């Protein structure tokens, strides 16, 4: 049975955060609305942080009081359990950013990639436009090295956000604020140092190049059209994007499809008939349990047919 964080612990957190930030703490906040899956029970405590300093302060307070915490961006790569999260969810809406004349874009980590992309294209700066249509904050994008397999013949390859990354300010696991570069971040495929250390990304500096607005606008349209034709639309079918990691370069969707599970339903969850590596929440009726069970069904089927174990790539957050 889920036990919630003691009231006095949340009171202590509120006091520690002070009148401005502490006054913003909400209790028993349902999390489904903050995830693209539209699934998940309540957080004991929930706070919006609107600047990078507030993000650092909230994390430091949680650490000082030994309160479990989770830094939430757009919630596009997670499944939150039906019983929610025992601790404080720190919702990163720190979105200030500035474009320099030299192509440097400095941004707080809660900025939404889509907003930055449109502004960059408008200003004639190229490098971010490939990632249009992928729901992500800057923090989430760095956390996992956001990537996209470009469909156009002249640039048919996987592009990574690491390619435009210059440096970032972090709050380290040891509570030190410092600036780090790519050597520290160790960008890999769906991997960075932040999967292995509890550092928090506070701000990021990207390095963009001058681009032709017509070409960039064409890329925006092409990439959105490509996605629209192959992936279920998030606005109609809530999801967390790809559920499983690739196995030795082979997409998990192909294996699930060949195991005969494309379109398979379990409760309110369904393996998308459009893309077998995406599980969708049908008409908002799926529970986290439905999704977890459907994940297990897919794992069993693929293991039986191909002898290979699918590993989820999404984060499982809270209590199920
Ligand atoms: C329809 C759909 C399509 C997608 N397509 C793609 C795709 O083409 N390519 C791709 O790479 N991904 C894709 N994804 C996955 C998702 O968009 C990315 O993983 C994205 O980067 C998640 O960002 P977020 O802000 O939502 O992070 P969240 O889901 O909120 O968090 C993810 C993880 O990042 C951590 N985190 C967030 N912010 C910070 C921070 N400031 N400091 C430290 N850690 C932090 C969180 O604690 C959590 O562990 C897709 C998802 C959906 C729903």
């Amino acid at each position: 049975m889920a036990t919630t964080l003691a009231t006095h612990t949340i009171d202590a957190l509120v006091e520690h955060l002070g009148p401005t930030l502490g006054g913003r703490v909400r209790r028993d906040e349902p999390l489904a609305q903050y995830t693209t899956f539209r699934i998940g029970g309540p957080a004991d405590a929930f706070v919006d942080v609107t600047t990078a300093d507030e993000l650092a302060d909230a994390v430091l307070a949680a650490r000082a009081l030994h309160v479990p915490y989770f830094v939430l961006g757009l919630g596009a790569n997670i499944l939150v359990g039906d019983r929610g999260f025992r601790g404080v969810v720190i919702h990163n809406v720190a979105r200030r950013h500035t474009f320099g004349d030299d192509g440097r874009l400095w941004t707080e980590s809660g900025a939404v990639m889509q907003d930055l992309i449109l502004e960059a294209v408008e200003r004639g700066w190229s490098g971010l436009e490939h990632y249009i249509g992928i729901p992500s904050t800057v923090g989430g994008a760095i956390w996992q090295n956001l990537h996209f397999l470009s469909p156009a013949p002249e640039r048919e390859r996987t592009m990574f956000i690491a390619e435009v990354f210059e440096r970032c300010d972090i709050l380290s696991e040891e509570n030190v604020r410092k600036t780090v570069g790519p050597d520290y971040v160790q960008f890999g495929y769906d991997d960075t140092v932040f999967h292995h250390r509890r550092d928090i990304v506070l701000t990021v500096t990207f390095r963009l190049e001058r681009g032709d607005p017509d070409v960039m606008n064409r890329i925006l349209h092409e990439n959105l059209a490509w996605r629209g034709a192959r992936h279920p639309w998030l606005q109609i079918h809530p999801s967390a994007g790809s559920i499983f990691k690739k196995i030795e370069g082979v997409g998990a969707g192909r294996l699930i499809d060949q195991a005969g599970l494309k379109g398979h339903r379990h409760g309110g969850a369904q393996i998308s008939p459009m893309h077998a590596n995406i599980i969708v929440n049908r008409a908002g009726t799926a529970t986290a349990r439905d999704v977890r069970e459907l994940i297990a069904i897919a794992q069993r089927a693929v293991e039986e047919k191909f002898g290979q174990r699918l590993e989820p790539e999404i984060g499982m957050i809270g209590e199920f």
Side-chain angles (χ1 to χ4, degrees):
M1 189 57 199
T3 48
T4 53
L5 210 59
T7 307
H8 65 81
T9 309
I10 302 177
D11 291 343
L13 182 73
V14 169
E15 199 180 320
H16 201 101
L17 289 174
T20 310
L21 201 46
R24 240 182 263 152
V25 172
R26 304 201 282 282
R27 300 175 195 227
D28 292 324
E29 180 76 353
L31 292 175
Q33 60 191 313
Y34 302 104
T35 73
T36 56
F37 237 145
R38 297 281 179 264
I39 293 173
D44 293 336
F46 183 99
V47 62
D48 288 322
V49 290
T50 58
T51 65
D53 287 340
E54 284 184 359
L55 171 58
D57 289 347
V59 171
L60 286 169
R63 287 177 180 172
L65 296 169
H66 302 289
V67 173
Y69 65 88
F70 178 74
V71 174
L72 174 70
L74 288 188
N77 204 30
I78 56 171
L79 175 63
V80 177
D82 296 317
R83 295 174 182 208
F85 184 74
R86 305 288 73 78
V88 58
V89 168
I90 300 168
H91 185 213
N92 186 9
V93 288
R95 293 178 178 164
R96 278 182 311 174
H97 57 272
T98 49
F99 284 85
D101 294 337
D102 57 358
R104 286 197 171 83
L105 162 60
W106 173 90
T107 175
E108 290 180 323
S109 60
V112 175
M113 287 300 297
Q114 170 111 345
D115 298 340
L116 297 181
I117 292 166
L118 296 182
E119 195 175 333
V121 168
E122 188 63 27
R123 290 170 180 268
W125 290 114
S126 170
L128 295 179
E129 63 275 13
H130 314 288
Y131 309 100
I132 192 76
I134 308 177
S136 184
T137 58
V138 166
I142 299 303
W143 186 81
Q144 79 138 81
N145 194 9
L146 198 72
H147 51 84
F148 176 60
L149 174 60
S150 171
E154 73 270 21
R155 44 174 207 287
E156 193 182 355
R157 66 177 181 88
T158 303
M159 301 194 163
F160 295 91
I161 200 76
E163 296 173 39
V164 287
F165 172 89
E166 188 174 83
R167 58 180 188 267
C168 62
D169 287 342
I170 62 166
L171 173 69
S172 77
E173 193 174 89
E174 298 83 12
N175 294 335
V176 179
R177 280 180 78 151
K178 56 182 177 182
T179 304
V180 298
D183 288 353
Y184 181 92
V185 178
Q186 294 171 45
F187 288 103
Y189 194 93
D190 277 343
D191 192 43
T192 59
V193 70
F194 306 120
H195 286 236
H196 313 286
R197 287 176 52 83
R198 301 211 77 194
D199 299 337
I200 305 299
V201 180
L202 301 174
T203 70
V204 176
T205 302
F206 293 113
R207 192 69 199 260
L208 308 177
E209 287 176 357
R210 276 278 164 227
D212 176 345
D214 288 345
V215 174
M216 290 191 280
N217 273 302
R218 181 167 56 75
I219 291 174
L220 297 183
H221 283 270
E222 278 174 6
N223 289 11
L224 282 177
W226 187 90
R227 290 186 158 276
R230 286 165 186 77
H231 297 173
W233 280 70
L234 204 50
Q235 290 81 351
I236 306 167
H237 291 125
S239 79
S242 296
I243 289 283
F244 296 106
K245 294 177 187 164
K246 285 185 175 171
I247 297 183
E248 290 156 15
V250 179
R254 203 188 307 166
L255 300 177
I256 296 168
D257 191 1
Q258 287 172 6
L261 284 177
K262 209 172 194 177
H264 185 85
R265 289 190 197 184
H266 183 79
Q270 182 181 27
I271 293 181
S272 168
M274 286 182 84
H275 193 305
N277 197 17
I278 296 178
I279 291 180
V280 296
N281 174 3
R282 287 182 61 87
T285 58
T287 61
R289 189 194 179 119
D290 292 340
V291 175
R292 285 263 283 227
E293 288 175 353
L294 189 49
I295 286 173
I297 290 168
Q299 283 173 321
R300 263 199 310 276
V302 167
E303 198 150 5
E304 272 166 26
K305 193 163 170 87
F306 301 103
Q308 285 181 306
R309 178 84 184 158
L310 293 174
E311 292 297 335
E313 71 163 42
I314 56 168
M316 303 287 169
I317 307 302
E319 294 183 346
F320 284 80

